[in-house]
Amino acid sequence: MRRVFTADVSDTRAERIFRAIRFGPRTRCIECGFTRKLWKLPDGRWQCKRCGKQFGLLTGSRLARTRFSPAEIYELLFWFELELTDHAIARRVGLPYHRVHRFFLTVREAIADYEERSIKLLDGEVEVDETYSGPRFRNRRRATRQRLKKSGVVKRGRGSMRLQTVVFDIYERPDGIVYAQPVPDVTGEVLKAIIHEKVSIETTVYSDTLASYHGLASRYADHQTLRHVQGEYVRGAASINGIEGFWAYAKERLLRPHGVSAEHFLLYLKEVEYRFNHRDLEPEEFVHHLLQVLLN
């Protein structure tokens, strides 16, 4: 494996970085938390004096089954920070694509879990909106369009949107935190369930006039709507420009892999959400934060 960003980082130094991020100033047992006495085993792992647990630097973490060493993982995460495709990274580091892709799927799974856990209650002022992700019917290949028409999947009007993935977004001001979730439809039952789970009741909610949002004013501090069909996009503090900004950011990145399969769409969406929510981090800070997500 070719190492570019971490060429001057020895294996020992990489392990020290991982150890500090996972355990802090003192190594602790991953089973009972004991720190006073850990025996060092010949294979480099530790054994706890109290409970007898044997564990290594990656044991019990998302990285436990990876075949990469800490130094190699460290290098790959710097490439990941650059937002290149998995194919492009595999070519540059000289590894088979399937190994790199499998590793980054593990990274994306950890990111998706972290985003779901860490975004609990958004408050203050939030914007909510729904969008459709994926190629439009008219942008698909002619043979594909004809096949879809014959099968009856596509009908006139909004029926063609059934081919796209519906994504519901909540954007919190002024921190610029976004929460995005694919949904089966845009009914009030589905959208309000997510809002009630993720938004504090002391919050002012901004949305368009979609009927699914009706009734939010009775539960939250305030609910202001914008009449997009009449060309109203800003009225005082009321707008959903924050969400529009996120989707300008997200759609450009979701196009880079030349399309994302339905199977992995959530993982790539949560990756974009994570990058957006941590967009102010410097490259090394981003990598170290991502290591915290992967190791803890």
Side-chain angles (χ1 to χ4, degrees), residues 9-10 19 40 48 53 77 84 117 135 145 159 162 220 238:
V9 178
S10 65
R19 185 173 175 178
K40 192 74 171 179
C48 178
K53 175 71 174 180
L77 292 182
L84 299 177
R117 292 194 318 269
R145 295 199 306 269
R162 292 167 54 193
Y220 296 93

Side-chain angles (χ1 to χ4, degrees), residues 201-261:
I201 59 174
E202 299 91 357
T203 302
T204 297
V205 180
Y206 302 109
S207 73
D208 57 24
T209 54
L210 184 71
S212 301
Y213 301 128
H214 291 176
L216 290 178
S218 64
R219 182 182 177 101
Y220 296 93
D222 192 13
H223 176 212
Q224 299 187 31
T225 60
L226 296 151
R227 299 175 180 84
H228 287 176
V229 293
Q230 298 178 11
E232 183 185 46
Y233 294 94
V234 178
R235 187 182 66 254
S239 77
I240 55 172
N241 290 339
I243 288 180
E244 297 294 341
F246 166 69
W247 268 105
Y249 174 94
K251 288 184 176 180
E252 187 270 334
R253 284 159 174 78
L254 290 173
L255 286 173
R256 290 181 183 178
H258 304 290
V260 177
S261 68

Side-chain angles (χ1 to χ4, degrees), residues 37-166:
K37 186 64 176 179
L38 298 173
W39 288 305
K40 192 74 171 179
L41 301 176
D43 60 4
R45 297 182 300 155
W46 297 277
Q47 181 173 1
C48 178
K49 180 181 179 181
R50 175 189 285 175
C51 68
K53 175 71 174 180
Q54 296 182 359
F55 62 96
L57 191 57
L58 307 180
T59 302
S61 73
R62 287 278 185 175
L63 300 173
R65 295 186 177 183
T66 183
R67 296 183 180 180
F68 294 114
S69 68
E72 291 173 328
I73 293 170
Y74 200 43
E75 173 74 17
L76 286 170
L77 292 182
F78 274 98
W79 283 106
F80 184 77
E81 189 275 335
L82 290 180
E83 303 185 62
L84 299 177
T85 65
D86 296 356
H87 278 288
I89 294 173
R91 288 197 303 270
R92 285 164 171 78
V93 299
L95 290 174
Y97 164 73
H98 71 274
R99 286 194 65 196
V100 173
H101 181 60
R102 185 165 57 240
F103 173 75
F104 286 136
L105 280 182
T106 299
V107 173
R108 293 180 178 105
E109 288 169 355
I111 286 173
D113 288 345
Y114 170 81
E115 287 293 289
E116 194 63 38
R117 292 194 318 269
S118 62
I119 300 178
K120 295 179 180 178
L121 274 183
L122 303 172
D123 57 16
E125 295 180 306
V126 303
E127 305 169 14
V128 298
D129 194 22
E130 72 291 338
T131 191
Y132 293 83
S133 180
R136 296 183 179 182
F137 175 73
R138 67 187 182 204
N139 293 335
R140 296 171 186 255
R141 293 179 179 176
R142 182 178 179 181
T144 303
R145 295 199 306 269
Q146 292 175 342
R147 176 174 53 82
L148 291 171
K149 284 181 179 179
K150 289 180 180 179
S151 65
V153 173
V154 176
K155 298 180 181 179
R156 291 183 179 181
R158 294 175 65 90
S160 63
M161 290 183 176
R162 292 167 54 193
L163 300 172
Q164 298 177 293
T165 302
V166 188

Side-chain angles (χ1 to χ4, degrees), residues 144-197:
T144 303
R145 295 199 306 269
Q146 292 175 342
R147 176 174 53 82
L148 291 171
K149 284 181 179 179
K150 289 180 180 179
S151 65
V153 173
V154 176
K155 298 180 181 179
R156 291 183 179 181
R158 294 175 65 90
S160 63
M161 290 183 176
R162 292 167 54 193
L163 300 172
Q164 298 177 293
T165 302
V166 188
V167 181
F168 178 63
D169 310 285
I170 307 176
Y171 177 86
E172 182 192 67
R173 306 176 188 172
D175 297 332
I177 301 298
V178 71
Y179 175 80
Q181 180 66 43
V183 292
D185 54 56
V186 294
T187 60
E189 181 182 1
V190 171
L191 301 189
K192 286 178 183 176
I194 300 174
I195 295 172
H196 296 340
E197 179 185 359

